[in-house]
Amino acid sequence: MDNLLSMEHLTTNEIYELVKRASAIKKGELEPRRYEDKFVANLFFENSTRTKSSFLVAEQKLGLKLIDFETNTSSVQKGETLYDTCKTLEQVGADVLVIRHSQTTYYDELKSLNVPIINAGDGSGQHPTQSLLDIMTIYEEYQTFEGLNILICGDIKNSRVARSNFQSLTALGANVMFSSPDAWKDDSLDAPYKDIDTVIDEVDIVMLLRVQHERHTDENTTQFEVSNYHNQYGLTQARYNRLKSQAIVMHPAPVNRGVEIEDSLVEASKSRIFKQMENGMYLRMAVIDYILQSKGAETNEIINEC
């Protein structure tokens, strides 16, 4: 695996390898490698808290040196293209580029680069590390994906999380369903749409998606406000009470409390929302390590195999 751009580019074996590697690091069964002579640049052209901070911690735990880059003080403000920015960082010595960008499949224009790219989110396209940390969280609960019923609720059309998770979880054997307002459905994804109230007591995982106001037209935003979204598509206390005893609740965050999920349920016993955040750091350690090793990077520590 030379890059991580999309879940479509990963085999199921690679998914399991990354998840198991991250879990082993988390449990202390696998000593993380150290890359003291390697450099990483984080290029976040969209705002981020969880993804950016967990990448930063993961990189520092692996001993990587950070190249300081902020879009508001870079030559991007002078009109520099994404390619030229990335090529510059490659030339000054970056060994890995972590990129979040508002342009879907931005990485298509970076194919001639000679530095690995980790996609931290591309427009309404993919968010592979989020999908992998979600898979890790589910695997910790069930140790399998085969036959699990997963309901993804909300803004499907604008969600790179929905797209990434649908593709990967289906490939792993799960039954993935969507629940969404008509205006936010994505007909390019071959998944059944269900009324949340008809399936809520049958699912093993209910995954809520953030309402992405920044990606909506005025018309869709108006429809959202009028339709009383929380009552129709959110996880209310009444719906939570109908979940199976072993079911879990997930959300990629940030959470619009009282919209996608009732405020009091964010840290309820079935919620794994903050567990997902914790797993994100370990998973991103595993991804960076995997990519650097595939490039033949040397470390100053011997890894202890689990």
Side-chain angles (χ1 to χ4, degrees), residues 54-102:
S54 65
F55 263 115
L56 282 168
V57 174
E59 291 154 2
Q60 292 181 44
K61 283 181 176 289
L62 291 171
L64 288 158
K65 293 182 173 65
L66 304 179
I67 298 174
D68 186 31
F69 180 87
E70 294 293 339
T71 56
N72 60 352
T73 58
S74 74
S75 290
V76 170
Q77 301 302 320
K78 301 176 182 178
E80 184 173 65
T81 66
L82 176 62
Y83 174 83
D84 286 343
T85 296
C86 294
K87 191 66 178 179
T88 298
L89 292 166
E90 176 192 317
Q91 294 305 116
V92 301
D95 296 287
V96 181
L97 299 179
V98 178
I99 305 174
R100 168 172 286 191
H101 201 282
S102 60

Side-chain angles (χ1 to χ4, degrees), residues 22 25 27 31 33 43 57 70 89 103 106 111 117 144 149 175 197 223 228 236 242 251 259 265 284:
I25 294 172
K27 294 174 184 176
E31 182 70 22
R33 297 175 174 95
L43 291 75
V57 174
E70 294 293 339
L89 292 166
Q103 178 183 330
Y106 67 78
K111 291 179 180 177
I117 295 169
T144 186
N149 293 316
N175 305 313
D197 288 315
Q223 181 178 356
N228 195 352
T236 62
R242 291 176 56 194
H251 192 303
V259 180
L265 299 179
R284 286 164 179 134

Side-chain angles (χ1 to χ4, degrees), residues 25 30-34 61-62 285 289 301-303:
I25 294 172
L30 190 64
E31 182 70 22
R33 297 175 174 95
R34 299 283 296 177
K61 283 181 176 289
L62 291 171
M285 286 181 71
D289 178 55
E301 291 187 6
I302 298 174
I303 193 166

